Amino acid sequence: MALTDGIDDPEELKEYRGLQSQIAKILRERCGEPASPKLLGDREADSERLQRGAQLFAQYCVQCHGVNGDGKGILAPYLRPSPRDYTRGVFKFVSTSNGKPRRADLIATIRRGVSGTSMPSFAQLSNDELADLADYVIALSQRGELEQTLARVAYDDGELPAAEDLDGMIAEILTPWQEADGSIVMPLTPMPPMTDESVAEGRELFLKFACSRCHGNDGRGGAIGSVDVGADIWGDKVPAADLTSGMLRGGGRPIDVYRRIYAGIIGTPMPAFATQFQENPDDIWKLVHFVKDTGQRRRRGLPPAANVPAATPPAESNADAQPSSDAPAAPEATAAPDGDAPPEDKAEAEAPPSS
């Protein structure tokens, strides 16, 4: 719809409305209709599963996430943070290094919910229902990416690509999705035992990499310290998370925290730290131990970690879809408390064995 925003000239308006109609036709042909969705580029996809997912989405999700998954449902204006906009193809809590979620990642988020937001747990749904819903979210996301790509081409070129070029465009959109299963972030080393010493060393790393500049010296987060770290790509202000709350939105298992540190949180100012730990990969686990201990202190009746001077300021934050690995920050305090992993994801549910 943005193609015709602000256009007053009748001839130009007619031209862009024609392009809008062409885009709508391509989306119907390639992605189906709401009642009969198709998975982009996959003619073998289970249409019945997608239809069941569409029905579940209409029942439980459309009020917040909108009919086409753009995050503009009827309740969205009243919710902070805003409901996720799937049409960008960007998801925060993934287990991969290329930024695209696996189906198991989406199932985990739907089952668990997102603590501290309006996204509830849907643990009452069966495993099949969760899988159906995740597949439909993937279909909406890929449809949205195609729609936005076509709109950009139409705006820049004044025309849409020929059929053979369209196939190449779709292949480019789908490639990262297809590569997601092969880009799972797995620990570089086994997790050592969590001890007072490893927690203390993790705190030193927390200060060394200036995580405290966003999350606070005691880990209580940017909202407590009025630290402005900027906005995410969806336009929401995102204060660094309160690590002392123990509410880790991206998952509470050690492996979940490890992945947030290693790969960052896509679309937010939280960067990846993979390169910083190449020489000392065990240090990631020490930082994980500090984050876990910080989230448990309140439950044990202990005060937050002692206030100590912070390290050097972080570099400018980056809320692009792939955050820079050079902008120091700290692991996002996200996702629900520790819980069981989805049945199809049990192979990575437990932390790696102690060395």
Side-chain angles (χ1 to χ4, degrees):
M1 298 306 297
L3 281 172
T4 53
D5 285 349
I7 296 180
D8 297 322
D9 180 82
E11 288 300 317
E12 188 178 10
L13 188 61
K14 180 179 179 180
E15 177 185 355
Y16 278 105
R17 282 178 174 166
L19 290 170
Q20 286 175 329
S21 296
Q22 291 179 52
I23 292 173
K25 180 181 178 181
I26 292 172
L27 293 174
R28 284 194 300 271
E29 292 173 350
R30 301 291 181 131
C31 304
E33 302 276 5
S36 55
K38 300 177 185 177
L39 195 58
L40 184 63
D42 187 357
R43 293 193 176 99
E44 304 301 320
D46 187 337
S47 59
E48 291 186 2
R49 164 166 275 183
L50 285 176
Q51 287 178 335
R52 292 194 301 268
Q55 292 167 0
L56 290 164
F57 189 88
Q59 181 176 357
Y60 295 113
C61 314
V62 71
Q63 300 90 340
C64 298
H65 292 284
V67 173
N68 67 336
D70 63 0
K72 296 179 181 178
I74 58 173
L75 298 180
Y78 311 103
L79 304 177
R80 289 295 179 274
S82 303
R84 181 65 62 245
D85 174 4
Y86 303 135
T87 63
R88 290 175 175 264
V90 179
F91 294 81
K92 290 172 68 174
F93 307 122
V94 301
S95 62
T96 61
S97 58
N98 77 344
K100 290 299 182 185
R102 300 178 301 138
R103 179 206 273 179
D105 295 331
L106 296 176
I107 290 174
T109 299
I110 298 168
R111 174 186 281 114
R112 182 179 57 232
V114 182
S115 299
T117 77
S118 300
M119 173 65 183
S121 164
F122 287 95
Q124 79 276 12
L125 298 181
S126 69
N127 291 334
D128 285 343
E129 288 174 323
L130 290 168
D132 295 343
L133 192 49
D135 279 355
Y136 186 66
V137 169
I138 291 172
L140 284 178
S141 184
Q142 293 175 352
R143 178 191 185 279
E145 288 187 80
L146 176 60
E147 180 181 20
Q148 294 195 21
T149 302
L150 290 170
R152 285 194 294 269
V153 171
Y155 181 80
D156 292 338
D157 300 343
E159 61 182 3
L160 291 171
E164 59 272 17
D165 296 325
L166 178 60
D167 289 337
M169 178 188 295
I170 291 173
E172 188 173 345
I173 290 171
L174 294 179
T175 295
W177 290 92
Q178 294 163 348
E179 294 176 346
D181 280 335
S183 63
I184 303 172
V185 174
M186 296 303 289
L188 302 174
T189 60
M191 186 176 78
M194 182 172 172
T195 64
D196 290 342
E197 181 180 6
S198 69
V199 171
E201 292 177 358
R203 176 162 179 74
E204 292 302 316
L205 293 165
F206 183 79
L207 297 172
K208 174 182 177 181
F209 290 108
C211 308
S212 55
R213 297 291 291 186
C214 295
H215 291 281
N217 294 325
D218 55 9
R220 296 186 68 189
I224 298 295
S226 299
V227 178
D228 185 358
V229 298
D232 59 26
I233 68 166
W234 299 281
D236 285 323
K237 285 284 187 179
V238 284
D242 179 359
L243 302 177
T244 70
S245 71
M247 293 191 298
L248 303 172
R249 293 178 185 167
R253 302 171 301 165
I255 185 61
D256 298 322
V257 181
Y258 185 105
R259 287 169 173 157
R260 301 291 84 75
I261 298 170
Y262 185 94
I265 300 180
I266 306 301
T268 79
M270 172 64 192
F273 281 84
T275 58
Q276 283 90 333
F277 291 100
Q278 286 180 342
E279 294 184 6
N280 301 293
D282 275 350
D283 284 352
I284 302 183
W285 286 120
K286 295 173 184 177
L287 199 46
V288 169
H289 290 173
F290 171 72
V291 172
K292 293 292 294 179
D293 179 77
T294 299
Q296 295 165 1
R297 293 180 67 85
R298 190 182 296 175
R299 291 171 174 78
R300 300 201 307 263
L302 299 174
N307 206 20
V308 297
T312 55
E316 183 178 352
S317 59
N318 177 12
D320 292 338
Q322 182 61 51
S324 165
S325 60
D326 297 320
E332 169 85 327
T334 47
D338 300 285
D340 292 335
E344 68 182 88
D345 207 20
K346 279 293 184 183
E348 53 183 292
E350 302 299 329
S354 299
S355 56

